[in-house]
Structure formats: structure tokens, C-alpha cells
């Protein structure tokens, strides 16, 4: 049985900007469906059970995004965790010491009980133990944006904390803004994070509905705050939906996510966005379902691209996944039809029920296509 899906790469939604002070400008101009592997978005850690989805329609706010552009993403209240990150300073490149990030956020609904707060947006850095960072690699996270119910019925408030965890954090670790935003109303939130040399002295600031770059922060987390830092360095930004028995999040719509080196660039954009080499996987993970052992099963992958160099494709360590090629030329991938790659799975009885196919090309963070199956003896 053959199943076709597409790896598409190119200029359509490239989000890095010509001015180095603008690190990310994301309007989510992708087709509705899972955000995983769309644009520069890769998985932080293990893939979750419920994807963060691109939804049709865009949010707007005067002075920031005057007219709707692209689409938006939905942070749902589904059980489990799914964290996606966009890396703006890959390991090996200099990481900024200070960034501002901003987004249009609409709180759509709350669960009956939130439990321990969990960040819906946070910064990411290299893994504290291995120093690695990339698709399907667990990054450090911190500098998060949190949301909870306001005192008035049907309202929400935003908060920040240096600490962040996939299991939520202690409620007192979050410093909350007093502005109560009606549920269903779009808010502009801006967060500043500055790394300082000592432990527990990184600076954070929160701006809620600022009119322009002259606005003053409404919440500040400074050296007098004793909350530990969980972020190693500033290299990426994460969208996260997490819901467990002890920690649940609100259902939110997020749009027009920006990362820059100053508040002025947050509002001006600094420079026109340009395309960056990129590979988009239309289906990830790829599930073969139940397969009989020792009987090969094939899937054909079509790769279309707008790249700077050739594409390298490599299977993982299961020994059960074979590829028809390990290199795809730039010319073939950029042709009108794209290039085809056949993936052959020959399942055996072993401890492996999945494999990771790594897709690499110059100037792009490696993408990982998760292949999974259920062997039948």
C-alpha cells in the first residue's frame, strides 16, 4: 500500500528578517492543520499526543498588526503536552543576551481548574546537560508567559516567570499583571528577557496592551526575585500546550509572534522579512499502522524545496527503515514536480517501534520525521 505526502520547503512563510535586530516575525501563513514541521517550527523534546494546530483566520490590533495577515494557532486544553519551538540562534551561533517577544493572544476558554500554572509561550535554549538543541531534542525553557482567571467573571490576566517546566510551576513563582482582559478579546502582550551574569538575577518585564515603544512595563521581575532561572541561553521561542492532572492551561488563540532586540523593533518590524531555507513536512509523525514482520511496506515521499544546497536524508538506528536515497539534489527538489524518496519499512520483532528520519540542508535547523509502526508477528 502506498501513501503520498509532501515535504515542501521554501519562501512562502519564511520568518527571519533582513535586519539582525528582528529575530522572528511569524504570521502563521500555513494551511490549517498541525504546526509541527511547518516553517521553522520543530518539536521540543518528544512529539505530543495532540498537535498545536494552525487555524484559519488572523488576529489584529491597531498599531501592531492593523490588518489580519496569515492565520493563527490554537493552544488547546487537550490532555498531554506538545511543545514546538522556532530556533532563531542555532548552537554554534552567537546567542543574544536580551530579547523582547510579543504576540496577539486571545483567551478563548478556561478549564474548571488550572492547578499549577504552565506557560503558553516561553523562551528556549540549549539543553543544560548535553548542550544540544534541535528538532526532537529537549531544550531548556524559561522566561514564560502565563495566563489565569481574573477576579471578575469571564476575564483573564497575564503573568511572567523566569522559571518554566513542562509539568507547570509553583503558583507563587509567577508575577501577575493587574489588567483583566475579557475572555474572547484580543490582547497584545510583550515580554522582555535579559540575561545577567549572576544566578537568579535575570531581568524580565511584561507589557500588556502597550500602545507603542514608549510604553512602560507593568510587571518587573528583577534581582530581588528569588525564583531560579531554568533557561541556559536565548536561542528560540516555544509555543506549548500542556494539560495534566496537576497543571492545566487555558484554551488560547495566538497570532503575529515576534522576537526582536528592542521594543522599537517589536512595533516597527525593523526590516522586511526574507525567505530562509526550510523544509515543511505535511504529515508528521508518519504512522504505518499495523505491519506484518519481515514483509516490506513502502511509502513514497515527495520533496519540494527552495533551498541553498542539497538535502541530506538519514534514517535512525532501528535498522528497519531503508531510504531509496540519502542525498537529494537542490535541482531535483526545486523542480516543478519535486523529488521522490521511497521509505521502505521491514518490521521485525525488536524493541524498536519507531525511527527518526533526519532531513538536513545548509542554513536550516535539521528537521526530524518520526516514523512509527506496530509490528505483527
Amino acid at each position: 500500500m502506498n501513501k503520498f505526502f509532501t515535504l515542501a520547503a521554501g519562501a512562502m512563510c519564511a520568518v527571519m528578517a533582513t535586519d539582525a535586530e528582528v529575530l522572528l516575525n511569524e504570521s502563521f501563513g500555513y494551511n490549517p492543520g498541525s504546526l509541527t514541521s511547518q516553517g521553522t517550527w520543530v518539536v521540543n523534546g518528544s512529539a505530543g499526543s495532540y498537535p498545536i494546530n494552525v487555524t484559519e483566520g488572523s488576529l489584529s490590533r491597531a498599531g501592531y498588526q492593523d490588518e489580519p495577515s496569515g492565520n493563527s494557532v490554537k493552544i488547546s486544553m487537550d490532555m498531554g503536552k506538545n511543545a514546538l519551538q522556532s530556533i532563531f540562534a542555532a548552537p554554534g551561533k552567537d546567542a543574544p543576551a536580551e530579547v523582547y517577544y510579543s504576540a496577539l493572544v486571545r483567551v478563548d476558554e478556561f478549564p474548571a481548574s488550572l492547578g499549577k500554572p504552565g506557560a503558553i509561550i516561553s523562551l528556549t535554549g540549549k539543553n543544560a546537560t548535553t548542550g544540544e538543541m534541535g528538532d526532537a531534542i529537549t531544550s531548556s525553557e524559561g522566561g514564560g508567559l502565563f495566563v489565569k482567571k481574573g477576579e471578575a467573571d469571564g476575564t483573564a490576566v497575564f503573568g511572567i516567570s523566569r522559571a518554566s517546566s513542562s509539568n507547570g510551576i509553583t503558583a507563587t513563582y509567577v508575577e501577575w499583571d493587574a489588567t483583566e482582559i475579557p475572555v474572547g478579546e484580543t490582547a497584545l502582550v510583550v515580554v522582555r528577557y535579559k540575561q545577567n551574569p549572576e544566578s537568579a538575577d535575570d531581568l524580565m518585564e511584561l507589557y500588556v496592551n502597550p500602545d507603542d515603544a514608549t510604553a512602560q512595563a507593568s510587571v518587573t521581575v528583577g534581582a530581588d526575585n528569588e525564583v531560579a532561572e531554568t533557561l541556559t541561553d536565548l536561542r528560540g521561542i516555544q509555543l506549548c500546550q500542556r494539560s495534566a492532572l496537576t497543571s492545566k492551561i487555558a484554551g488560547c488563540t495566538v497570532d503575529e509572534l515576534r522576537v526582536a532586540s528592542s521594543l522599537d523593533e517589536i512595533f516597527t518590524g525593523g526590516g522586511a522579512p526574507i525567505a530562509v531555507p526550510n523544509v515543511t513536512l505535511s504529515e508528521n509523525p508518519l504512522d504505518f499502522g499495523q505491519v506484518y514482520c519481515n514483509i516490506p511496506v513502502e511509502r513514497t515521499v515527495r520533496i519540494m524545496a527552495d533551498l541553498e544546497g542539497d538535502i541530506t536524508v538519514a534514517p535512525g538506528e532501528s535498522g528497519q527503515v531503508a531510504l531509496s536515497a540519502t542525498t537529494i539534489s537542490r535541482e531535483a527538489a526545486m523542480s516543478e514536480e519535486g523529488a521522490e524518496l521511497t521509505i521502505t519499512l521491514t518490521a521485525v520483532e525488536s524493541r524498536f517501534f519507531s525511527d527518526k528520519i533526519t532531513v538536513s540542508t545548509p542554513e536550516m535547523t535539521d528537521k526530524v520525521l518520526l516514523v512509527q509502526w506496530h509490528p505483527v508477528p
Side-chain angles (χ1 to χ4, degrees):
M1 179 176 68
N2 286 333
K3 183 177 181 180
F4 289 84
F5 66 101
T6 302
L7 296 165
M12 50 207 178
C13 300
V15 293
M16 303 304 175
T18 55
D19 190 326
E21 293 180 310
V22 178
L23 303 172
L24 183 73
N25 193 342
E26 176 64 271
S27 297
F28 303 106
Y30 316 109
N31 292 328
S34 174
L35 180 63
T36 305
S37 298
Q38 301 281 344
T40 57
W41 294 97
V42 297
V43 174
N44 182 3
S46 301
S49 303
Y50 298 93
I52 296 174
N53 283 319
V54 177
T55 58
E56 191 171 355
S58 179
L59 304 179
S60 61
R61 181 177 174 83
Y64 182 74
Q65 178 166 260
D66 295 330
E67 300 293 335
S69 176
N71 284 314
S72 54
V73 292
K74 176 68 174 179
I75 307 294
S76 77
M77 299 188 298
D78 291 323
M79 289 292 289
K81 177 199 172 188
N82 194 357
L84 300 178
Q85 61 181 332
S86 177
I87 300 171
F88 50 75
K93 297 183 178 181
D94 292 337
E98 178 180 3
V99 296
Y100 288 75
Y101 69 83
S102 61
L104 295 174
V105 180
R106 186 185 69 209
V107 178
D108 298 316
E109 58 180 330
F110 280 105
S113 175
L114 286 169
K116 297 169 66 176
I120 58 172
I121 304 174
S122 59
L123 294 166
T124 57
K126 291 187 293 186
N127 183 288
T129 302
T130 66
E132 297 179 328
M133 189 177 190
D135 198 2
I137 297 173
T138 301
S139 300
S140 64
E141 59 178 273
L145 174 72
F146 299 77
V147 61
K148 71 172 184 178
K149 294 179 180 179
E151 292 293 331
D153 290 343
T155 64
V157 295
F158 294 98
I160 53 173
S161 177
R162 287 195 292 243
S164 187
S165 167
S166 60
N167 298 316
I169 63 173
T170 303
T172 55
Y173 287 0
V174 182
E175 298 291 335
W176 299 97
D177 179 72
T179 307
E180 295 186 324
I181 307 295
V183 171
E185 180 177 300
T186 299
L188 170 61
V189 287
V190 182
V191 176
R192 178 192 181 196
Y193 196 102
K194 180 181 180 182
Q195 285 198 308
N196 288 315
E198 304 299 327
S199 60
D201 68 341
D202 287 359
L203 173 68
M204 285 192 74
E205 292 178 339
L206 172 63
Y207 305 74
V208 177
N209 286 335
D211 291 325
D212 53 37
T214 65
Q216 298 298 308
S218 56
V219 177
T220 299
V221 174
D224 57 341
N225 186 290
E226 297 181 356
V227 174
E229 299 155 3
T230 57
L231 191 63
T232 57
D233 51 8
L234 307 179
R235 294 188 176 275
I237 191 163
Q238 169 180 268
L239 293 169
C240 189
Q241 62 184 28
R242 59 190 104 205
S243 190
L245 294 178
T246 57
S247 176
K248 302 180 186 298
I249 62 167
C252 300
T253 300
V254 178
D255 192 16
E256 199 58 27
L257 181 64
R258 301 175 185 175
V259 182
S261 61
S262 75
L263 192 56
D264 184 61
E265 273 74 40
I266 287 293
F267 283 94
T268 64
I274 61 171
V276 293
N278 190 49
V279 174
T280 296
L281 285 66
S282 62
E283 183 175 350
N284 192 10
L286 176 63
D287 193 343
F288 276 72
Q290 289 189 331
V291 293
Y292 288 102
C293 290
N294 302 308
I295 299 178
V297 183
E298 294 184 351
R299 300 287 190 271
T300 299
V301 178
R302 188 174 298 280
I303 300 177
M304 302 180 66
D306 184 4
L307 303 171
E308 298 297 324
D310 294 341
I311 297 173
T312 300
V313 188
E317 59 179 355
S318 74
Q320 301 173 65
V321 174
L323 307 175
S324 60
T326 56
T327 301
I328 297 172
S329 71
R330 176 175 180 267
E331 291 73 21
M334 292 181 65
S335 67
E336 185 175 353
E337 299 80 13
E340 287 189 357
L341 177 73
T342 300
I343 301 171
T344 303
L345 170 66
T346 306
V348 298
E349 294 185 66
S350 75
R351 64 187 177 89
F352 290 101
F353 301 97
S354 65
D355 207 347
K356 294 177 179 179
I357 298 175
T358 303
V359 181
S360 307
T361 194
E363 301 300 319
M364 184 192 81
T365 300
D366 289 351
K367 294 287 183 72
V368 174
L369 171 62
L370 176 63
V371 180
Q372 56 193 30
W373 61 90
H374 303 279
V376 178

